[in-house]
Amino acid sequence: MSDVSRPSPAEPRTEARTAVVIPAAGRGVRLGPGAPKALRALNGTPMLIHAVRAMAASRAVSLVVVVAPPDGTAEVKSLLDAHALPERTDFLVVPGGDTRQESVRLGLEALPPDHDIVLVHDAARPLVPVDTVDAVIEAVREGAAAVVPALPLADTVKEVEPTTAPGEPEPVVATPERARLRAVQTPQGFDRTTLVRAHETVTGDVTDDASMVEQLGERVVVVPGHEEAFKVTRPLDLVLAEAVLARRRLNDGF
Ligand code: CTP
Ligand code: MG
């Protein structure tokens, strides 16, 4: 582009403003029947509010864009109005799409121009510590085009030839070396131009944003994730999340 003042992905972006897109439009099918997952309560507060607070806890974050269930934007707006955020943090609410990828794209389209770093964070990871958020932002500021927090795996992973019949034994195809594998979390951080280009270019199904940037041939780097950044996916994860909150309450003394 002709805008020569914009840093290329290889240069530091120390002054860049950071926005977060929070996809929260999923139903939460694996969690079982009930309200959309992001609106379910953890210790009395909706998961989405925990996630928004986790992002707003970073002093670098000046805008949070929540991508709400299409039939739930009004409810999400009033929830955000009812739960105070830091003064420095603005928020926007937009309706989501049929897939996570579509929801993130709709969130990106709503971003005002003055944010050069974009984080994408699952509403379903409500407990990520602020240090993880800051580490991701820092790595993008230092010049990485795409940054993902990730952890080593506890389980050995097998690649299989999936069968269609449920319960049918599946042949193992390969066992990747566990020490080289990482389980990827969010927030994932991006140079905004790179992420927008990825969403405009990549059409195949993906489960995270960084893989779209990989498909562009851009370098993606991993920084240490955190065990409290786990995704609330199944009913047992709700038990774990509430236990983490209870432990924090004990440690913080309130
Ligand atoms: N998401 C979204 N729009 C969709 C689907 C998912 O914004 N159409 C969001 C979810 O709200 C969640 C994040 O993407 O915050 C990660 O997705 P996942 O954990 O799979 O949540 P759900 O899709 O809601 O759960 P499930 O797959 O069990 O239905
Ligand atoms: Mg899903």
Side-chain angles (χ1 to χ4, degrees):
M1 296 287 275
S2 59
D3 183 1
V4 289
S5 65
R6 187 174 290 262
S8 79
E11 291 164 20
R13 301 172 201 87
T14 41
E15 302 302 316
R17 281 156 60 82
T18 300
V20 186
V21 172
I22 301 188
R27 304 308 304 180
V29 172
R30 287 169 290 180
L31 208 50
K37 181 160 75 177
L39 302 182
R40 303 222 199 164
L42 289 179
N43 278 10
T45 303
M47 203 178 310
L48 172 64
I49 296 297
H50 288 284
V52 171
R53 282 182 177 155
M55 296 300 110
S58 168
R59 306 192 62 82
V61 170
S62 51
L63 173 68
V64 175
V65 178
V66 175
V67 188
D71 55 355
T73 45
E75 185 179 353
V76 165
K77 272 185 196 149
S78 55
L79 272 178
L80 287 165
D81 285 331
H83 293 83
L85 289 181
E87 189 110 340
R88 60 174 180 268
T89 321
D90 287 332
F91 67 83
L92 279 173
V93 180
V94 297
D98 287 340
T99 63
R100 183 185 181 283
Q101 203 174 357
E102 175 82 359
S103 293
V104 172
R105 190 178 58 75
L106 292 165
L108 287 176
E109 283 173 2
L111 277 184
D114 57 340
H115 293 81
D116 288 333
I117 296 178
V118 179
L119 266 48
V120 181
H121 181 62
D122 293 329
R125 297 181 191 271
L127 303 181
V128 59
V130 68
D131 288 354
T132 307
V133 182
D134 283 336
V136 169
I137 296 170
E138 195 49 39
V140 183
R141 281 185 168 167
E142 281 170 4
V147 179
V148 299
L151 290 176
L153 289 154
D155 295 328
T156 296
V157 172
K158 303 276 183 207
E159 182 184 346
V160 298
E161 192 55 59
T163 51
T164 41
E168 187 75 11
E170 299 171 317
V172 170
V173 174
T175 304
E177 186 188 340
R178 189 176 66 190
R180 292 177 62 87
L181 298 178
R182 300 288 180 268
V184 164
Q185 304 176 323
T186 73
Q188 300 188 351
F190 303 92
D191 159 60
R192 176 189 181 152
T193 315
T194 306
L195 182 61
V196 168
R197 188 156 54 90
H199 274 267
E200 284 167 356
T201 318
V202 177
T203 49
D205 246 3
V206 294
T207 50
D208 78 338
D209 299 277
S211 56
M212 303 175 79
V213 173
E214 286 165 55
Q215 287 188 42
L216 294 182
E218 296 279 349
R219 209 169 96 94
V220 175
V221 296
V222 164
V223 297
H226 196 286
E227 57 178 353
E228 293 183 1
F230 68 93
K231 189 159 67 115
V232 175
T233 306
R234 298 177 191 86
L236 199 57
D237 299 322
L238 289 174
V239 180
L240 181 59
E242 294 202 325
V244 169
L245 285 170
R247 184 176 68 178
R248 283 186 189 174
R249 204 164 282 181
L250 268 180
N251 290 343
D252 296 351
F254 68 89

